[in-house]
Amino acid sequence: MGAVHAIGLLLCSLVLLFDSSISHPLCIDSRAPSNLSSPLKFCSYNGTTCCNSTEDSQIQKQFLSMNISSSACASLLKPVLCARCDPFAAELFTVDSVPRPVPILCNSTISANSSQSLIQVTSDFCSNLWDTCQNVSMSNSPFAPSLQGRAGIPVNSTVSELTQFWQSKADFCNAFGGVSSEDSVCFAGEPVKLNDTGTPIPPHGLCLEKIGNGSYLNMVAHPDGSNRAFFSSQEGKVWLATIPEEGSGEAMGLDESSPFVDLTDQVHFDTAFGMMGMAFHPNFAQNGRFYASFNCDKEKWPGCTGRCSCNSDVNCDPSKLGSDNGAQPCQYQTVIAEYTANGTASQPSLATSAKPSEVRRIFTMGLPFTGHHAGQILFGPEDGYLYFMMGDGGGTGDPYNFSQNKKSLLGKIMRLDVDNVVSASEIDKLGLWGNYSTPKDNPVSEDPELRPEIWATGLRNPWRCSFDSEEPSYFICADVGQDLYEEVDVITKGGNYGWNVYEGPYPFTLPNSSSKNTSTKLTNPIFPIMGYNHSEVNKKEGSASITGGYIYRSKTDPCMYGRYVYGDLYAGAVWAGSEDPENSGNFSTSKIPFSCGRDSPIPCTSVPGSSLPALGYIYSFGEDNRKDIFVLSSSGVYRVVRPSRCNYTCSKENVTSVATPGPSASPNDACWISKPSKSTVLLVSSLVLLLLLSFV
């Protein structure tokens, strides 16, 4: 008992820190829960769940093999095992990013604010389980401590009782108990339920200030945490800018005549083509590595040498495609290339320029048509992998069904490892599209029919995605619709977002056909969390094109905090989406007014006959290290500022508006690195982007 007591004392000091990256419906394998056509036979879950009938049967076999000697105890342990089927299983079974074989058991002896049902929060399920089961014999107990003293990792055991491993209820519940809070849930012996907090009241308006006149497609905060950010144009230039303090009256510092790097010799720039994305390695401040995603023309640049995405592997013959806008199939290609800022300064974080020569070609692929190739790239904030957003390749209605083809990379989100590159022979053997490897936990590990690069399928033209800076499991993408619906999706591992069987929540009717697309039978398509019909905007023009944004995490406008901000290309509307109840995965969205502050550093002009600022076209959104959000439009760069500067009312502003200091211009001052509060963790003509996001 001495060793057991020592383990118990050690675990008494364990504080359960819930993984802030998981706070919405998500399964243990990082997939979204699915909808059942009929209830499970053993576990009491129906509707949305993380188990299928096979997994339900496996849990039943595990339960029967335990040979629990008390029916009262068995009635409590059955739902504990079945908690793997809970839509919140990823959170229930994860502490400090370490998986557990049992969920976090509600322990009401610890008090905290919670978004979970009050009945469940106040339930001391952990104590009840101990009182009922402490002297009950069972085989292969999941409650045995490991030899290293970590809770929930079983040792080799046969028949045992809880009292053989735990000296007291306090020891047991310190190891397995937990509390529901604003950011986490616990298990109370039944499926997790959340409080219904009612429909959130939307903010009164979004206040902007204009801080730049340039037109850019991409903005990336400097990885050193300072008040600097990179901006890139569709033509292929990247600038390093200084972001002024909000309310200072200053414009951002950016010298158009002195770009950080000029890639225009490599980039093919014409209507729907150009430099679509850029990303800086998470360790850029040390290794100087950064990446550009752009298009090239193989008839004009010898470096444009990728294989055609229309090939026999995907049942496509490029000779039968014909020309598109005067271009031959796969004449235009999509490229990801690596560059370096090393050698231009004493250390990469101090670099103000970079060499335009490629260090390494990561990816090259020929495009079948001249539209819908997206091209954004992002590094995952937790896994460090490179996410690559790719459209369906163009053509009305995805005529070759690329988005649903598991062997095609079109209409997909890819997840690549650019730090571990396989050999040339392995690249050839695996049929990779460049110098990268694929993470072992990509969906191909569970679905061998998929290409190893694929993370998610069924996208049409994802235009601007982002990871929530406080809850990175919220990987949100806007996907441009065809003729009816613009959508916003939460991207999860292996998720299928429906195109071209669905357009948003609606069955998609193929052109020249009276029936919906039945070429692919979808299992559990994931529908949008929010979006809008084309009829809601630009009624006269009858067109729309979504531009994805960010979950607002700055303290500058506290009434916008936690809301997903996105807009429409035509700049006539901006929306703010809210989750209700919190952490539920259920969102509501509201169109909100927006205006420009009268004290804007650069005066704003208005749309003729309207009070709206003349943004032109909203190409993209950006986020700096302070978590302020920026609108990148054809008329300039705008920042979201305090609502009072536009006479919008926000009752929270006076309390929190001064709480967030601005980052320093010094890249060496560590105090400026942004720390998420919940985690330890060329001008381009309007026509260019209008055509880029066109629907056919």
Side-chain angles (χ1 to χ4, degrees):
M1 289 295 293
V4 172
H5 180 59
I7 292 173
L9 291 175
L10 175 63
L11 286 164
C12 281
S13 64
L14 178 65
V15 178
L16 295 182
L17 300 175
F18 298 97
D19 186 355
S20 63
S21 69
I22 301 170
S23 57
H24 65 103
L26 200 66
C27 302
I28 294 174
D29 61 1
S30 297
R31 292 179 182 269
S34 58
N35 294 313
L36 293 175
S37 57
S38 59
L40 299 175
K41 292 183 178 180
F42 179 69
C43 295
S44 301
Y45 286 88
N46 54 46
T48 302
T49 179
C50 284
C51 291
N52 55 32
S53 59
T54 300
E55 291 161 329
D56 181 56
S57 177
Q58 291 171 344
I59 293 172
Q60 183 179 23
K61 289 179 181 178
Q62 179 187 2
F63 174 76
L64 294 175
S65 70
M66 291 175 66
N67 295 315
I68 303 166
S69 61
S70 161
S71 59
C73 177
S75 68
L76 295 180
L77 291 183
K78 175 184 174 180
V80 168
L81 298 182
C82 287
R84 288 181 170 274
C85 302
D86 199 282
F88 291 87
E91 182 176 348
L92 290 172
F93 284 83
T94 306
V95 173
D96 283 342
S97 299
V98 177
R100 302 153 50 99
V102 292
I104 299 164
L105 309 179
C106 286
N107 182 0
S108 66
T109 59
I110 308 173
S111 61
N113 295 326
S114 176
S115 59
Q116 197 169 346
S117 164
L118 182 63
I119 295 176
Q120 292 188 339
V121 171
T122 55
S123 166
D124 198 343
F125 182 73
C126 187
S127 293
N128 187 24
L129 191 148
W130 171 267
D131 292 340
T132 306
C133 298
Q134 60 178 311
N135 295 313
V136 174
S137 63
M138 64 187 78
S139 300
N140 303 310
S141 171
F143 296 103
S146 75
L147 297 177
Q148 292 76 31
R150 293 299 299 267
I153 304 176
V155 293
N156 293 327
S157 61
T158 53
V159 179
S160 62
E161 300 174 2
L162 295 183
T163 51
Q164 291 182 246
F165 299 110
W166 307 99
Q167 187 179 26
S168 66
K169 182 192 300 184
D171 287 351
F172 178 77
C173 287
N174 278 337
F176 296 102
V179 58
S180 175
S181 71
E182 184 181 1
D183 309 314
S184 58
V185 294
C186 58
F187 187 70
E190 61 182 9
V192 170
K193 299 176 183 177
L194 300 181
N195 287 320
D196 185 356
T197 56
T199 302
I201 299 174
H204 290 98
L206 193 69
C207 187
L208 305 174
E209 67 172 359
K210 187 176 183 180
I211 62 171
N213 285 316
S215 182
Y216 312 101
L217 287 193
N218 298 279
M219 173 186 174
V220 178
H222 200 295
D224 69 356
S226 70
N227 68 335
R228 301 181 298 164
F230 295 95
F231 292 80
S232 69
S233 70
Q234 189 179 351
E235 292 171 309
K237 293 183 180 180
V238 179
W239 291 270
L240 178 58
T242 301
I243 308 298
E245 186 80 10
E246 189 265 336
S248 67
E250 298 178 3
M252 71 179 189
L254 185 152
D255 183 359
E256 288 272 358
S257 67
S258 181
F260 177 79
V261 69
D262 184 346
L263 305 178
T264 53
D265 287 344
Q266 303 164 43
V267 174
H268 174 69
F269 168 62
D270 179 22
T271 62
F273 297 103
M275 182 170 167
M276 298 292 113
M278 65 174 176
F280 289 76
H281 194 280
N283 296 323
F284 171 80
Q286 291 76 42
N287 63 29
R289 293 161 55 189
F290 66 99
Y291 303 81
S293 167
F294 59 88
N295 303 119
C296 63
D297 182 348
K298 71 177 184 180
E299 293 188 357
K300 296 180 180 180
W301 187 47
C304 203
T305 57
R307 303 199 314 272
C308 187
S309 57
C310 172
N311 54 54
S312 58
D313 292 340
V314 296
N315 300 315
C316 181
D317 183 352
S319 67
K320 296 181 180 180
L321 291 184
S323 63
D324 182 30
N325 292 323
Q328 294 303 309
C330 296
Q331 175 180 333
Y332 299 119
Q333 310 200 349
T334 186
V335 172
I336 301 175
E338 180 183 311
Y339 301 87
T340 182
N342 288 332
T344 61
S346 59
Q347 58 189 61
S349 61
L350 298 176
T352 57
S353 64
K355 301 171 184 177
S357 54
E358 283 188 41
V359 173
R360 180 168 48 133
R361 177 65 60 87
I362 302 298
F363 187 97
T364 314
M365 184 175 71
L367 301 167
F369 303 106
T370 58
H372 307 175
H373 45 82
Q376 186 184 12
I377 50 177
L378 294 170
F379 276 100
E382 293 201 313
D383 57 27
Y385 295 128
L386 187 70
Y387 290 78
F388 180 26
M389 277 50 80
M390 175 56 64
D392 66 10
T396 302
D398 188 12
Y400 286 85
N401 201 38
F402 290 131
S403 291
Q404 292 298 328
N405 191 320
K406 295 182 178 183
K407 297 303 181 184
S408 173
L409 297 183
L410 296 170
K412 309 297 192 297
I413 291 177
M414 290 169 261
R415 182 175 180 248
L416 312 176
D417 183 347
V418 296
D419 290 323
N420 298 288
V421 180
V422 297
S423 66
S425 60
E426 193 72 7
I427 290 174
D428 185 63
K429 176 183 176 182
L430 297 174
L432 303 183
W433 297 80
N435 293 290
Y436 59 86
S437 61
T438 55
K440 293 181 179 179
D441 61 342
N442 271 7
V444 69
S445 62
E446 299 165 33
D447 184 354
E449 293 184 5
L450 283 170
R451 284 288 310 171
E453 298 90 345
I454 293 173
W455 184 252
T457 64
L459 285 303
R460 182 177 179 273
N461 192 25
W463 190 250
R464 307 295 96 168
C465 303
S466 64
F467 288 93
D468 181 8
S469 60
E470 291 198 2
E471 298 177 357
S473 62
Y474 280 75
F475 178 24
I476 302 182
C477 286
D479 196 18
V480 177
Q482 175 91 28
D483 298 313
L484 180 62
Y485 193 81
E486 305 296 306
E487 66 183 85
V488 178
D489 301 302
V490 174
I491 304 299
T492 56
K493 177 182 178 180
N496 189 327
Y497 295 87
W499 177 253
N500 61 354
V501 180
Y502 292 91
E503 181 181 358
Y506 304 108
F508 178 69
T509 300
L510 292 168
N512 304 316
S513 172
S514 60
S515 61
K516 70 182 183 69
N517 181 8
T518 56
S519 61
T520 302
K521 293 184 179 180
L522 296 188
T523 302
N524 297 313
I526 300 175
F527 293 110
I529 58 170
M530 60 186 101
Y532 55 94
N533 287 290
H534 286 201
S535 59
E536 294 179 38
V537 294
N538 293 303
K539 292 181 175 61
K540 293 181 180 179
E541 299 174 21
S543 58
S545 184
I546 194 169
T547 300
Y550 289 82
I551 293 182
Y552 190 86
R553 293 301 185 184
S554 171
K555 301 294 177 59
T556 301
D557 183 350
C559 287
M560 286 299 302
Y561 187 84
R563 300 174 187 267
Y564 179 72
V565 180
Y566 61 104
D568 187 80
L569 171 68
Y570 300 95
V574 173
W575 289 263
S578 299
E579 195 175 18
D580 175 43
E582 255 185 67
N583 305 326
S584 66
N586 298 318
F587 288 79
S588 60
T589 184
S590 301
K591 190 185 297 184
I592 57 174
F594 63 96
S595 59
C596 202
R598 290 187 298 272
D599 58 349
S600 175
I602 300 174
C604 301
T605 57
S606 298
V607 175
S610 169
S611 60
L612 290 175
L615 302 183
Y617 296 96
I618 296 179
Y619 293 156
S620 189
F621 289 84
E623 182 184 59
D624 67 3
N625 283 314
R626 169 185 180 139
K627 307 310 174 190
D628 278 330
I629 285 181
F630 298 74
V631 180
L632 309 185
S633 79
S634 59
S635 69
V637 178
Y638 299 79
R639 172 167 53 184
V640 177
V641 297
R642 288 175 287 117
S644 59
R645 290 178 59 185
C646 292
N647 295 322
Y648 293 132
T649 302
C650 173
S651 60
K652 303 176 184 178
E653 181 179 342
N654 292 335
V655 177
T656 62
S657 63
V658 296
T660 305
S664 163
S666 169
N668 295 320
D669 194 341
C671 71
W672 300 120
I673 297 177
S674 173
K675 298 289 186 182
S677 62
K678 296 180 189 175
S679 182
T680 53
V681 219
L682 320 318
L683 287 203
V684 184
S685 70
S686 300
L687 179 62
V688 171
L689 260 291
L690 180 64
L691 292 175
L692 171 66
L693 300 180
S694 62
F695 310 107
V696 179

